[in-house]
Amino acid sequence: MSIPVAFVAASVIEAVAIHFLVPWQWLRVMLLVATVLSLIAIGGWLAGRVVHPHLVSARTVVFRCGTGVRVEVDRSRISRVSMVRRFGETANAIVDDCLVLPGPDGTAVDVGFDRPVSVTLPKRLSKATPTTIGGLRLHVDQPGEFCAALSRD
């Protein structure tokens, strides 16, 4: 969360500085509009990280990160679920055979599979060919409830 907060703070400081330093009204208005649009973009980026949460149904679990990464797994394939806080990763990555889907503060839940699962990931994480993962590390707002929902039969 530090980067988006820093951008918001810089935008607010910039808007105030422009008001006092730029003598032309038309330029002040245009720069204020640009600042407001950048704040909307930052808000949209933050909303995109939480709008599409993970989905637990009776037969499958869908793990998502915004609208980009989506892994659908049968619940019977999940062998372990545990709450483990990790603060090291803040971007989607593959670490130790696990797909990491962090939030702004890292990950809170580890999910292991009984055997590797084949997934197709975005090109920036791997080649467009299917990749096998042995588990997931992900961010959820309420890790205790999420672990309980996955542990239920």
Side-chain angles (χ1 to χ4, degrees), residues 3-138:
I3 292 175
V5 169
F7 273 114
V8 169
S11 295
V12 170
I13 292 169
E14 173 189 42
V16 171
I18 287 170
H19 178 73
F20 290 113
L21 298 176
V22 175
W24 304 286
Q25 181 68 24
W26 65 271
L27 185 56
R28 275 190 286 201
V29 170
M30 287 183 61
L31 292 173
L32 181 63
V33 168
T35 300
V36 169
L37 289 176
S38 70
L39 290 172
I40 291 171
I42 292 169
W45 177 73
L46 287 171
R49 294 185 70 136
V50 296
V51 167
H52 298 285
H54 311 294
L55 176 66
V56 179
S57 70
R59 293 186 179 179
T60 60
V61 182
V62 179
F63 301 100
R64 299 184 247 201
C65 186
T67 58
V69 177
R70 178 184 164 134
V71 178
E72 190 167 340
V73 179
D74 287 340
R75 286 185 69 168
S76 62
R77 301 283 308 274
I78 296 174
S79 61
R80 64 174 174 75
V81 179
S82 59
M83 289 190 301
V84 179
R85 288 294 280 160
R86 290 190 174 87
F87 300 100
E89 297 290 333
T90 56
N92 297 344
I94 296 178
V95 177
D96 299 331
D97 195 32
C98 289
L99 174 60
V100 180
L101 302 176
D105 299 326
T107 61
V109 174
D110 284 2
V111 178
F113 304 129
D114 58 354
R115 60 187 184 277
V117 174
S118 179
V119 297
T120 302
L121 301 173
K123 286 185 180 180
R124 62 185 173 81
L125 289 179
S126 71
K127 296 177 177 71
T129 60
T131 303
T132 58
I133 58 171
L136 288 160
R137 296 176 186 167
L138 53 132

